[in-house]
């Protein structure tokens, strides 16, 4: 039997979820990962597989079926590799992690909206919105897992879903000077974030890679789109991000050239 | 052991999902359903249970835990009553129904946004948006279940999730003259909608109840809010909807009084 194949984008948080889950299950080598360069139009063979949609990741099963949506793919992987379960099996515990997981959409949106914001007048409201998101997570964790650091005994389903966002939000620290205030109301979520980011199964990316690749997002250009005056996206595969300089942090005052970004 | 309790709102589509699932499992009598009147502020005892949130339904487990979000509650009920499974057990089939289920948010939003719209100039765009949603469902069903009428052999998980919306969208037929065009591109989804609405497990409401209770939504007032000049919401428990006249259909030209609505 051939393996499932995952078509993914480097540094995409939804793709990293799958990588984390497979790592937790020690099944990383049983799935073929194929990188897609989003700075070029999707190839026809890929659009044929997806019937025209462009969102990634997708998973192609061993017998050629296509599954879309990271949470649906996570569940599929959990189902076909039931050993070392990552999701909780007890109904109430499963409900708790599902409630937390459903908070992912707003959390993600708030962080990416702030990163992509170009109006300095909105920064303070965006910071407040982000803090509100962290406060909601803090409250949830205090209610259901006061001692922590994880929601249950180990890094599990909710951590698999959220950790890629915690790692992406390094871009807010760099481009927006956002750090979670050292206040009691964020103490529980801070402990969760730190335990998640430090877990061995969640080391697929680094602060440096995130900051360099997301430069164009910080200037409002998502999904590999080209900014005015530029010939290359910061999401490009080449040159390797390790060989590029750190981007300028002053996104509201300056637009970096290809050369300044080492592209 | 005491039973779980569901706190719900009459004619709320998210609440109906739970009712349908329990009916499919022949467990309807093992859960206590408690009606909440959303035309009054939430009672303190309920806000205490939810820790301040107002969205319904919520489920209180037999040992006093609170579960929020209809899809999370559905999964909990599926887990505690595993006989007569409603969700698919095969990983690929489960992924298919999960992909379809994830299309629920946009479908719901489009229908409710249109119902609540007050600007006649936007009607055509809202109609187009609604048709696009049906076309997406049609494409999905053609890909995964061309013969139908259901996604799999029987009314299942995806049908439990979507049928309450199909029944609510009777309000679009009444207030916006929306009917799905008799065209081949909607034929598959039309067959699905009809089979869903006609299923014995999904008879918790009627076109008449939906149309009468949602009058205020059609005028832009959701969640039991009061419209200007009115003293009572169309979502009120009394007088019983059966004793009220059918509301005026011309939402863009006229605002009905309490008396016209039989309130």
């Amino acid at each position: 039997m051939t393996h499932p194949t995952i078509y993914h984008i480097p540094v995409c948080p939804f793709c990293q979820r799958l990588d984390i889950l497979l790592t937790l299950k020690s099944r990383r080598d049983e799935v073929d990962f194929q990188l897609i360069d989003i700075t070029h139009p999707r190839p026809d063979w890929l659009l044929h597989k997806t019937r025209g949609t462009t969102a990634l990741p997708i998973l192609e099963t061993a017998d050629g079926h296509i599954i879309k949506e990271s949470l649906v793919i996570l569940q599929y992987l959990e189902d076909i590799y039931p050993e070392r379960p990552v999701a909780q099996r007890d109904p109430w515990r499963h409900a708790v992690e599902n409630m937390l997981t459903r908070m992912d959409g707003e959390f993600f949106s708030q962080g990416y909206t702030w990163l992509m914001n170009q109006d300095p007048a909105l920064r303070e409201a965006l910071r407040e919105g982000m803090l509100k998101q962290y406060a909601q997570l803090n409250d949830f964790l205090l209610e259901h897992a006061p001692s922590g650091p994880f929601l249950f005994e180990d890094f599990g389903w909710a951590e698999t879903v959220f950790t890629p966002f915690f790692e992406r939000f390094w871009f807010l620290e760099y481009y927006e000077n956002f750090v979670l205030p050292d206040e009691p109301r964020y103490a529980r979520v801070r402990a969760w974030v730190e335990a998640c980011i430090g877990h061995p199964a969640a080391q697929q990316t680094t602060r440096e890679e995130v900051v360099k690749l997301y430069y164009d997002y910080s200037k409002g250009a998502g999904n590999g789109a080209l900014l005015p005056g530029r010939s290359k996206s910061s999401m490009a595969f080449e040159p390797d991000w390790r060989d590029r300089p750190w981007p300028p942090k002053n996104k509201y005052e300056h637009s970096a050239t290809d050369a300044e970004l080492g592209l």
Side-chain angles (χ1 to χ4, degrees), chain A residues 161-179:
Chain A
V161 166
F162 274 93
T163 303
F165 297 152
F166 298 150
E167 295 180 351
R168 295 308 165 286
F169 290 2
W170 285 321
F171 55 49
L172 295 179
E173 188 187 315
Y174 190 83
Y175 294 111
E176 297 285 355
N177 295 309
F178 176 70
V179 287

Side-chain angles (χ1 to χ4, degrees), chain A residues 79-92:
Chain A
D79 290 344
I80 63 168
Y81 302 128
E83 310 85 9
R84 305 203 195 184
V86 174
Q88 296 292 316
R89 293 301 189 258
D90 169 76
W92 161 243

